[in-house]
Amino acid sequence: MGVKTYNQEIESPVAAGRLFKALCLDNHNLLPKLMPESFKSIEFVEGTSATVGCVRQFNFPDGFQYKYAKHRIDELDVANFYCKYTTTEGDVLDGKYECVINESKFYPKGSGCVCKMTTHVHPLPETEFNEEGPKMGQEKMKKMFKTVEEHLIANPSAYA
């Protein structure tokens, strides 16, 4: 079975640079504070900052659907607000996926931006593909985006 690709586009009144910094460069600090019900902690397993090649482990709270996920940053273009990372390990892969590759690109639009997110799901060979998991993942990404957006609107000097 081949790669399945999902696209999502979200408009925001928040500037591209601020959202990019919060969601891509500093999510290891911000997300556990803003969404403790979804993120227990985010730790660097390889590297010490959000740079190409670093690996971050996202640890989920007790009682959450999953325990952890490891993300490796594959590409990072800070000047153009682009990040590409691969989920390489964790029970989020559910024994059904080899990996999941996510790309986020923030485009300035007026005083805000448009974020285009693309997810490439690589199922394991001989695995029956279920659309539910990736679609649920996209909804969780949208919720995370909106939570960070609300925080940045309420705190105009954050990530400015």
Side-chain angles (χ1 to χ4, degrees), residues 52-108:
V52 173
C54 79
V55 176
R56 292 183 280 198
Q57 180 167 312
F58 289 65
N59 298 302
F60 305 113
D62 295 338
F64 198 73
Q65 180 179 4
Y66 302 111
K67 293 184 192 233
Y68 80 100
K70 285 187 181 179
H71 295 175
R72 178 190 66 236
I73 295 182
D74 301 313
E75 295 179 40
L76 190 63
D77 184 343
V78 176
N80 291 300
F81 312 124
Y82 173 77
C83 181
K84 178 179 177 182
Y85 67 90
T86 302
T87 303
T88 59
E89 185 182 318
D91 52 353
V92 297
L93 296 174
D94 214 14
K96 299 175 184 174
Y97 310 110
E98 179 183 332
C99 67
V100 176
I101 299 171
N102 288 287
E103 298 178 73
S104 297
K105 172 81 170 113
F106 299 80
Y107 297 90

Side-chain angles (χ1 to χ4, degrees), residues 8 16 22 38-39 42 44 52 65 79 93 97 102 104 107 110 119 123 128 133 135-136 139 149-150 152 154 158:
Q8 186 171 199
S38 298
F39 300 99
I42 301 171
F44 285 92
V52 173
Q65 180 179 4
L93 296 174
Y97 310 110
N102 288 287
S104 297
Y107 297 90
T119 301
E128 187 173 320
K135 288 188 179 193
M136 184 176 65
E139 284 304 311
E149 176 187 68
E150 289 172 13
L152 295 178

Side-chain angles (χ1 to χ4, degrees), residues 1-14:
M1 174 173 288
V3 175
K4 297 282 188 175
T5 300
Y6 300 86
N7 294 296
Q8 186 171 199
E9 190 172 300
I10 306 173
E11 281 198 42
S12 175
V14 178

Side-chain angles (χ1 to χ4, degrees), residues 1 11 17 21 23 29 35 58 76 97 101-102 112-114 116 118 126 141 146:
M1 174 173 288
E11 281 198 42
K21 287 176 193 172
L23 286 166
N29 289 313
M35 302 178 74
F58 289 65
L76 190 63
Y97 310 110
I101 299 171
N102 288 287
C113 70
V114 174
K116 293 185 180 182
T118 303
E126 308 300 320
M141 287 172 62
K146 289 299 183 182

